[in-house]
Amino acid sequence: MSVTILGIESSCDDTSAAVIRDGILLSNVIASQSVHEEYGGVVPELASRAHQQNIVPVVDTALRRAGIGKHDLSAIAFTRGPGLLGSLLVGTSFAKGMSLGLRVPIIDVNHLHGHVLSHFVRRQPDDEVPAYPFLCLLVSGGNSQLILVRNYNDMKVIGRTIDDAAGEAFDKCAKVMGLPYPGGPHIDRLALQGDPKKFRFAKPRIDGLDYSFSGLKTSFLYTLRDAARLNHDFIEENKADLAASLQATIIDILLDKLKKAVDMTGVTTVAIGGGVSANSGVRAAVADFCDKRGINAFIPERAFTTDNAAMVAIAGYYKYLDKQFCSYSETPYARVTV
C-alpha cells in the first residue's frame, strides 16, 4: 500500500506544501513573502500574518498538482521548529486541524533535519541518494553546522558557528553595500563580475570544527567605513570586487573546516544544504574539493536549498515508516540543535 505524505513548512517567511508518495516527489509549492524587502529583514508579525493568508491556497495547490485528494493522505508532516514561533504556530495549527478532520496521524519534523534529508527527495525511483554515513555542511541565514549523518534519525553536530552564521554575514554585509534583501543572491551575482583577490578580510582562528563569522563581518564593515571617508563613491565603484572578495573569504572559512571534518571522520560522501548552498561559489568549491579528494559530492537542486516542504515531507516519510507520530499536545519550538 502506498504511503502519501503532505509536508507543511512555515518556519520563517516561506509558506510551502509538498506531497511525496513512496519517497517520490509529486509536488512542491512555495509562496514567498515580498513584504519584508522594504524592511531589510524578516518581520515576524508580518510573516505569521502572511502564512495565515497563504497556507490554505498553497496546500490546495500542492494537492491538485500532485493529482491526489486530501483523503489519499497517509499522514501530515509539519515543521515544528526551530524557527519563528508565530510562523511555526500557523503551520502546526493547520496540520493538527487537517489531521483531526481527515483522521490521519501528524509527524513533527526538525527544520534542520529537513535540510539534511533534502538529498533524499527523489523525482524518479532511480535517483541517487547519499549512502550513510556522510558529512553534511549545513549553511543558512541562521545556521552554519557540520553534521555527521549516520542515519535519518542519527545525526551528530561536530561543528557549529559560535556567533553569526554564513548567511548572516552575506546579508548584513550586503545591506551595508546598499543591496536589497535578501542580500546573498545579490552578492553571488556581483561576485561573478569581480576580483576575489582585490580585498582581504579577517579570517577567524577558532579551534576544532566550529565556525565564526562575526570577525569577518566587522572587518568588512571597517574596510567600507575607512575607504568611504576618503571616497564617498567607494562602495558603488567597487561593488563587484567587494562582493567577490567577501564571497571568497566565506568560502575559504567554510572549506577549511570541511576539509578538517573529512580528515577527522574519514567519510567518503559530502553533502551541502541550507540557503547558502544555493550560492554558486559555494557549490563549485565543494564540488571541486570532493573531486580532488575522490569522494562523492551531493549538491542539492536550488529548489531544495531554501525553506521548502519537500524536505519536510521526506523527513516525515521516513518517520512514518518507523511509526514515529506526534501527539496533538506538542508545541512549536524556536531554537534547537540537530
Side-chain angles (χ1 to χ4, degrees):
M1 186 175 180
S2 294
V3 175
T4 306
I5 306 294
L6 170 67
I8 296 174
E9 156 62 21
S10 67
S11 64
C12 190
D13 61 336
D14 287 329
T15 312
S16 182
V19 177
I20 280 181
R21 172 168 286 172
D22 297 333
I24 306 301
L25 183 65
L26 301 183
S27 67
N28 188 33
V29 179
I30 303 174
S32 299
Q33 301 174 6
S34 59
V35 65
H36 307 286
E37 292 178 3
E38 63 179 295
Y39 299 100
V42 176
V43 181
E45 176 63 23
L46 296 180
S48 58
R49 290 183 183 183
H51 283 303
Q52 289 178 318
Q53 295 174 340
N54 292 336
I55 194 162
V56 172
V58 165
V59 169
D60 179 66
T61 301
L63 292 174
R64 285 190 289 105
R65 289 185 182 176
I68 68 167
K70 58 181 180 290
H71 293 290
D72 296 319
L73 296 174
S74 304
I76 300 169
F78 66 96
T79 300
R80 186 175 160 213
L84 302 175
L85 277 180
S87 296
L88 290 166
L89 277 168
V90 176
T92 300
S93 300
F94 185 90
K96 290 179 179 180
M98 192 172 184
S99 165
L100 285 168
L102 297 176
R103 299 180 183 274
V104 297
I106 51 173
I107 302 169
D108 62 318
V109 172
N110 180 313
H111 179 78
L112 304 182
H113 285 188
H115 275 303
V116 174
L117 295 176
S118 65
H119 294 280
F120 292 83
V121 177
R122 293 177 293 158
R123 297 188 184 275
Q124 302 294 332
D126 58 352
D127 286 349
E128 187 180 6
V129 298
Y132 299 115
F134 66 92
L135 193 64
C136 183
L137 172 61
L138 177 59
V139 277
S140 65
N143 297 278
S144 293
Q145 298 180 335
L146 282 165
I147 305 167
L148 180 60
V149 186
R150 301 188 184 95
N151 208 319
Y152 87 89
N153 58 357
D154 185 4
M155 305 182 192
K156 180 182 180 181
V157 176
I158 59 175
R160 59 166 57 87
T161 182
I162 62 173
D163 42 56
D164 290 348
E168 287 180 278
F170 273 123
D171 287 341
K172 290 178 180 178
C173 292
K175 185 175 182 178
V176 175
M177 291 172 62
L179 299 175
Y181 174 86
H186 297 284
I187 293 289
D188 192 11
R189 172 181 53 81
L190 286 169
L192 296 174
Q193 310 163 29
D195 178 3
K197 298 181 179 180
K198 178 69 174 293
F199 298 97
R200 296 183 62 183
F201 303 117
K203 295 181 183 179
R205 296 182 179 179
I206 307 298
D207 293 334
L209 299 177
D210 286 339
Y211 286 108
S212 171
F213 291 96
S214 62
L216 164 63
K217 182 185 67 178
T218 301
S219 173
F220 185 87
L221 297 179
Y222 276 128
T223 296
L224 266 61
R225 185 197 66 177
D226 293 343
R229 287 176 175 173
L230 302 175
N231 179 6
H232 293 297
D233 297 323
F234 172 79
I235 295 178
E236 193 61 36
E237 294 173 355
N238 293 276
K239 270 188 177 180
D241 292 335
L242 286 166
S245 300
L246 173 67
Q247 180 164 293
T249 305
I250 291 177
I251 291 172
D252 283 348
I253 295 171
L254 291 172
L255 266 290
D256 177 63
K257 300 291 185 171
L258 178 62
K259 293 172 184 176
K260 292 180 180 178
V262 169
D263 291 337
M264 180 183 297
T265 60
V267 298
T268 58
T269 299
V270 166
I272 58 174
V276 179
S277 67
N279 180 280
S280 60
V282 172
R283 296 166 75 88
V286 171
D288 181 63
F289 163 70
C290 291
D291 182 61
K292 290 179 179 177
R293 286 290 188 97
I295 59 180
N296 298 318
F298 281 84
I299 313 295
E301 293 182 33
R302 282 188 165 84
F304 300 146
T305 58
T306 55
D307 296 343
N308 66 92
M311 68 185 193
V312 178
I314 194 63
Y317 170 71
Y318 287 118
K319 294 185 76 171
Y320 180 92
L321 296 180
D322 284 346
K323 306 301 180 186
Q324 296 184 28
F325 304 132
C326 174
S327 78
Y328 293 110
S329 63
E330 299 291 353
T331 56
Y333 50 82
R335 295 180 180 276
V336 74
T337 57
V338 174

